[in-house]
Amino acid sequence: MYVVTGGAGFIGSNIIHALNKRGIDDILVVDDLTDGKKCRNLSDLNIADYMDMHDFLAAIKNNTLDIEVTAIFHEGACSATTEWNGKFVMEVNYQYSKAVLHYCLDRNIPFSYASSASVYGAGPVFKEDRSQENPLNMYAFSKFQFDQYVRRLLPTIESQVCGFRYFNVYGPREQHKGTMASVAFHLRNQIIAGENPKLFGAYDGYEAGGQSRDFIYVEDLVNTKLWFLDNPKQSGIFNLGTGQAEPFRTIAETVIQYYGKGEVEYIDFPEHLKGVYQSFTEADISHLRSVGYEGNFRGLSQGVTDYLTWMEQHG
């Protein structure tokens, strides 16, 4: 059975969707459905079972998880970059991850987990190297610290362990994330509401709308993760982005062109984000390519167009 923690979330549900397309539905979803709206991400998917994350954590610690596990995709986390309760973040993102990792190591189960490009802080180099890592908030620190823990173990690990540093992921099934949903999601909603799409004004040496990130479409991200599932001898920590930074302005222009209305409106850069905001990210994907992954990543304009079409079809 495949286990997907955070399976009702954005990336977790897209992994399940991709597994279903392969004809796989022997899947255990692990999540916390306190926010019941996330159940909509599972309504069109086929799974074998559901388990609350706290019950799952207790089961793997007590060795009472009575299933044969094929692989674990560990996507469950507190993903709010604005959460400063360090005790909570480390419990959910770090200690939980360690428990799942050791469960897999003890049983030679392939383990894939979500790290984050936020570990690099302000950059400007985004390469999987300790000298380039400088997390600026608790979310980033929790991801960074787990990567560090994995790094110490990798030389002695015999089963597959893959950490993926996600850059800016966008696409279907993120509607439950609220303020943490992608810029494409929010700008589309602003247009639908009859407003102009809003971007940050000039900041940090970038012109208005010119702050740039490496935006990766969620389907492309999932395809990469499944390639590693098919290639179990490959382990390590990998950047997962397109390798190409593009400005936020491209998203707004694509949304305006798609709907044929609106113009970009710039707002003052928020005070609470100053000093903890990544104005530029661009994945160095040379390590990813070096292990044999040759998949393509769609450009931002095409990806946003695909996403807008999906939202129009699904409401």
Side-chain angles (χ1 to χ4, degrees):
M1 181 175 288
Y2 294 85
V3 177
V4 183
T5 72
F10 173 33
I11 294 172
S13 60
N14 275 284
I15 291 172
I16 296 168
H17 177 64
L19 290 173
N20 283 176
K21 287 173 66 176
R22 290 187 169 198
I24 298 170
D25 58 12
D26 191 25
I27 301 168
L28 169 65
V29 168
V30 177
D31 212 311
D32 178 350
L33 284 178
T34 300
D35 175 9
K37 294 178 182 178
K38 290 194 296 185
C39 76
R40 297 170 185 167
N41 281 338
L42 299 173
S43 62
D44 64 334
L45 304 178
N46 296 316
I47 64 173
D49 204 356
Y50 172 84
M51 197 171 190
D52 180 84
M53 65 164 287
H54 302 287
D55 295 335
F56 176 72
L57 182 58
I60 62 175
K61 285 184 174 180
N62 299 326
N63 198 27
T64 58
L65 187 65
D66 190 24
I67 60 174
E68 184 174 343
V69 179
T70 303
I72 294 183
F73 294 92
H74 183 48
E75 307 296 322
C78 169
S79 60
T81 57
T82 54
E83 178 58 71
W84 286 101
N85 184 334
K87 186 177 188 301
F88 169 74
V89 174
M90 291 302 282
E91 285 178 354
V92 174
N93 291 2
Y94 183 65
Q95 299 296 347
Y96 181 24
S97 298
K98 284 175 62 178
V100 181
L101 168 65
H102 283 285
Y103 178 85
C104 290
L105 293 180
D106 291 345
R107 295 160 180 80
N108 291 319
I109 297 169
F111 175 69
S112 166
Y113 73 92
S115 184
S116 169
S118 64
V119 303
Y120 297 113
V125 178
F126 299 85
K127 185 174 177 61
E128 305 93 330
D129 186 272
R130 176 65 186 95
S131 64
Q132 307 301 332
E133 298 158 0
N134 184 30
L136 298 176
N137 54 51
M138 268 311 307
Y139 168 75
F141 177 77
S142 68
K143 293 297 187 178
F144 159 76
Q145 193 58 49
F146 186 63
D147 281 351
Q148 287 290 82
Y149 186 81
V150 169
R151 276 176 170 154
R152 292 173 64 91
L153 298 178
L154 274 173
T156 61
I157 289 173
E158 296 181 356
S159 56
Q160 185 184 51
V161 174
C162 291
F164 297 98
R165 290 179 169 175
Y166 300 159
F167 280 67
N168 276 68
V169 191
Y170 65 100
R173 304 176 190 271
E174 64 166 337
Q175 67 285 340
H176 64 282
K177 294 181 66 176
T179 58
M180 297 307 298
S182 71
V183 173
F185 177 82
H186 289 298
L187 298 192
R188 181 260 186 185
N189 287 347
Q190 290 167 9
I191 285 280
I192 294 297
E195 304 171 10
N196 284 323
K198 299 173 180 61
L199 296 178
F200 293 150
Y203 173 71
D204 200 21
Y206 292 85
E207 64 182 10
Q211 295 91 358
S212 299
R213 298 271 185 91
D214 190 329
F215 298 94
I216 180 169
Y217 194 64
V218 67
E219 184 180 5
D220 298 338
L221 177 145
V222 170
N223 288 341
T224 310
K225 292 175 71 73
L226 293 189
W227 181 88
F228 278 85
L229 179 68
D230 297 335
N231 291 270
K233 292 185 178 180
Q234 301 297 340
S235 290
I237 296 172
F238 302 90
N239 284 338
L240 192 36
T242 67
Q244 181 64 54
E246 298 193 59
F248 283 90
R249 185 170 53 249
T250 297
I251 303 174
E253 291 171 348
T254 303
V255 173
I256 289 169
Q257 181 178 10
Y258 189 91
Y259 289 102
K261 59 181 179 180
E263 60 182 37
V264 182
E265 183 177 325
Y266 296 105
I267 61 176
D268 291 339
F269 194 89
E271 286 293 328
H272 73 279
L273 292 180
K274 292 182 178 179
V276 294
Y277 183 83
Q278 290 176 304
S279 295
F280 177 87
T281 65
E282 185 173 81
D284 181 330
I285 59 173
S286 57
H287 184 34
L288 180 67
R289 295 303 192 193
S290 72
V291 297
Y293 186 69
E294 299 178 347
N296 295 321
F297 301 104
R298 70 199 75 186
L300 183 56
S301 181
Q302 181 61 58
V304 171
T305 299
D306 292 345
Y307 184 23
L308 295 174
T309 300
W310 183 90
M311 284 192 280
E312 290 304 309
Q313 292 172 346
H314 290 79

